Amino acid sequence: MSTLRTLARYGAIAISIAVLVVVLLLTSTGADAAARGVATGYVAVFVVFTLVRMVRDVLQGHVGLDILAVVAMVATLAVGEYIASLIIVLMLAGGEALEEFAARRAQRDLTALLDRSPRIAHVIGTSGGVTALEAIGGQEHLRDIPVDDVEVGDLLLVRPSEIVPVDGVIVGDTGSFDESSLTGESLPVTRGDGEEVLSGAVNGTRAVRMRAVRRSADSQYQQIVALVRAAQTSRAPVVRLADRFAVPFTAVSLVLAGTAWAASGDPTRFAEVLVLATPCPLLLAAPIAFLGGLSRAAKAGVIVKGGAQIERLARVRSVCFDKTGTLTAGRPELVEVLPAEGFTADELLRLAASAEQYSSHVLADGIRTAAAEQKLQLVSADEASEVATNGVSAVLGGRAVMVGKVSFIESVVGPVARRPLGPGQAAAYAAVDGRFAGVLVLADAPREESRDVVAWLRAHGVERVAMLTGDAAPTAEAVAREIGVDEVHADLLPPEKVHLVAQLAPRPTMMVGDGINDAPALAAADVGVAMGARGATAAGDAADVVITVDSLTRVVEAITIGRHTLHVALTAIWIGIALSIGLMIVAMTGVIPAVVGALVQELVDLTTILYALRALRGPASGLPTPSVPSVPSAPSAPSVPSVRETTADGRDNG
């Protein structure tokens, strides 16, 4: 079966070789007329198929280089160089095979994501009290279903060395996971009870249970896979780029061939020149370069949705950044603990972090992380509840603890002194047993790499760098000063961001953002880049480029790869043109017979294709590209059956 597939894939090569062997045998036995007839018939069929394809392309608005190949084949037949015409056919068929081989090589890293995509999930039955080990031993408690059928809330078993099928949280177990395909982090990470694990991570040596928090289509790995599929099916612009050379290259080739014929008076000279003008180098090398660029970008954690985006990346002249979660980490860190009278700083932090174990608010993670760094022993709650957007309440060892907005605390303890906040700061207020306990101040600091990224952009041809944010002007300006951005547009609504991005010059313009509110601006930019490591599906859908690793340096990597890829593609085109024209000029003297010229052109094809594969490797951006987890890890929450979440409008989510 494999042999049949191979013959089908390379059928044109096999048939061309067989016909060439038959023609050579007939010629060696003196049957020149029969040899000419076989060759003419086969080449005529090939010419007809090529013309049909060429006409179809022209009707679709695509003017290509096939006309040169057709003229060369017809010319060699007309002057009796039928062996040369067969070599041209073999060269064209071989060129397509070389393109397929090189494209598979270039796409190897890109398709690795698709090959690893999980397809089956093990759902644990509803007979309560089933542990992971019991589920393994008792198959009656498990049922395998397609990963697309997993629903939010399903309890799943992930066996050792299996790929996590959907995004979920660990239930009662602790596991080690390889997240390298998602984050670039080479070392396994440990996830415990209540911590989130992303689809695509590979489980370690222990079976673990997890509760699905997203369906397959919304999970991290499937989002990346969908982006990769879009990138693979995109038609690379370099095909169009090569076609821009079609008319002038065809004209120059015909002029050189016609001049040689006129100067020598020998029509054979026309054919000898044109066999060296076949357009394989232009048609093959450039698309391979772009596929290589897409592959290299995917390996670096940058999913580029197509070749058109690669070319625009290479030409970016203005860059706009969102602030929160893009230029800043989007993970507020605790910077100050201000206990009230009767409480110590450690006591306040320990109690607040214990209560915040049961909160999903972004500030809660910063408080828990600070407590873990100080090695404070947290307390499990007897019961806990969260009022969305307001705060969390918990009973900890008989003590009633509340943490949240000042208004949430004042509803219990009465008016409290407000803590003045600096730019970029936020405060969580706390109460214990009905008494005001103090304030915890957090700040969303700029990413460590933000200043270096902005400096790199300015030093590498980006003429304008701006911040577009909905945050207040004082906070935005403070962050901008710290990272070196001198153009700030603050207090913006999404439509205002779209208007600014559309009007920004010089172009092309890149917009980098991470949230759903950034999606319209990403779509309006020439190149929209989504920081997609922590979700933001809408932003990823609207963007042209999705960064799957939580590091802003990947923006620089994307531009570097785009520029290198475009340079390789253009260079490959010019190498093909230069070699072909040089050889045509030599052939005008009559020193290169048609058969030899057809064989030499094969070497030109190989040279340009090998050069195009340089897009798989390239110069580094010069910035460090740290591997950082795509989902921040925080101390895990103990399992508390009585924890309930109540939304602000009173609805109970259980």
Side-chain angles (χ1 to χ4, degrees), residues 170 189 199 268 273 437 503 516 564:
I170 300 296
V189 296
S199 63
T268 303
V273 173
Q503 298 298 318
I516 294 174
H564 176 69

Side-chain angles (χ1 to χ4, degrees), residues 99 102-103 106 236-240 242 280-294 565 569 572-573 612 615:
E99 178 186 16
V238 79
V239 175
R240 296 188 290 272
C280 284
L282 276 67
L283 294 175
L284 304 182
I288 291 167
F290 269 68
L291 287 169
L294 292 173
T565 301
I573 289 174

Side-chain angles (χ1 to χ4, degrees), residues 320-327 447 468 497 510-519 521-522 527-533 535-536 539-540 543 545-547 552 555:
C320 308
F321 290 99
D322 175 48
K323 182 183 75 68
T324 304
T326 302
L327 290 171
R447 294 176 182 267
L468 309 183
K497 280 189 180 182
M510 171 191 286
M511 173 70 195
V512 187
D514 78 315
I516 294 174
N517 63 318
D518 295 319
L522 295 177
V527 183
V529 179
M531 302 289 292
V545 179
V546 178
I547 295 174
L552 199 61
V555 173

Side-chain angles (χ1 to χ4, degrees), residues 230-231 234-238 240 290-291 294 304-313 565:
S234 170
R235 181 173 183 262
V238 79
R240 296 188 290 272
F290 269 68
L291 287 169
L294 292 173
V304 184
K305 292 185 178 179
Q309 289 77 10
I310 284 272
E311 185 172 357
R312 289 200 295 269
L313 273 172
T565 301

Side-chain angles (χ1 to χ4, degrees), residues 406-466:
V406 63
S407 58
F408 182 61
I409 301 302
E410 286 180 333
S411 67
V412 174
V413 304
V416 301
R418 307 291 178 102
R419 166 66 163 81
L421 299 175
Q425 291 186 338
Y429 290 75
V432 177
D433 294 331
R435 293 173 51 208
F436 176 59
V439 183
L440 300 99
V441 181
L442 300 96
D444 186 13
R447 294 176 182 267
E448 293 181 4
E449 67 270 22
S450 292
R451 172 173 283 277
D452 291 338
V453 168
V454 171
W456 187 95
L457 292 172
R458 294 190 186 282
H460 290 80
V462 175
E463 301 174 33
R464 192 172 178 183
V465 179

Side-chain angles (χ1 to χ4, degrees), residues 564-585:
H564 176 69
T565 301
L566 183 60
H567 173 75
V568 169
L570 288 170
T571 303
I573 289 174
W574 282 112
I575 286 175
I577 289 175
L579 290 176
S580 295
I581 291 179
L583 289 168
M584 280 190 283
I585 292 173

Side-chain angles (χ1 to χ4, degrees), residues 462-512:
V462 175
E463 301 174 33
R464 192 172 178 183
V465 179
M467 178 193 293
L468 309 183
T469 179
D471 211 341
T475 298
E477 290 168 358
V479 172
R481 282 194 301 271
E482 189 170 344
I483 64 175
V485 174
D486 52 18
E487 182 179 347
V488 179
H489 301 272
D491 298 305
L492 298 176
L493 296 174
E496 294 171 321
K497 280 189 180 182
V498 171
H499 177 74
L500 282 170
V501 169
Q503 298 298 318
L504 205 67
R507 306 195 79 88
T509 297
M510 171 191 286
M511 173 70 195
V512 187

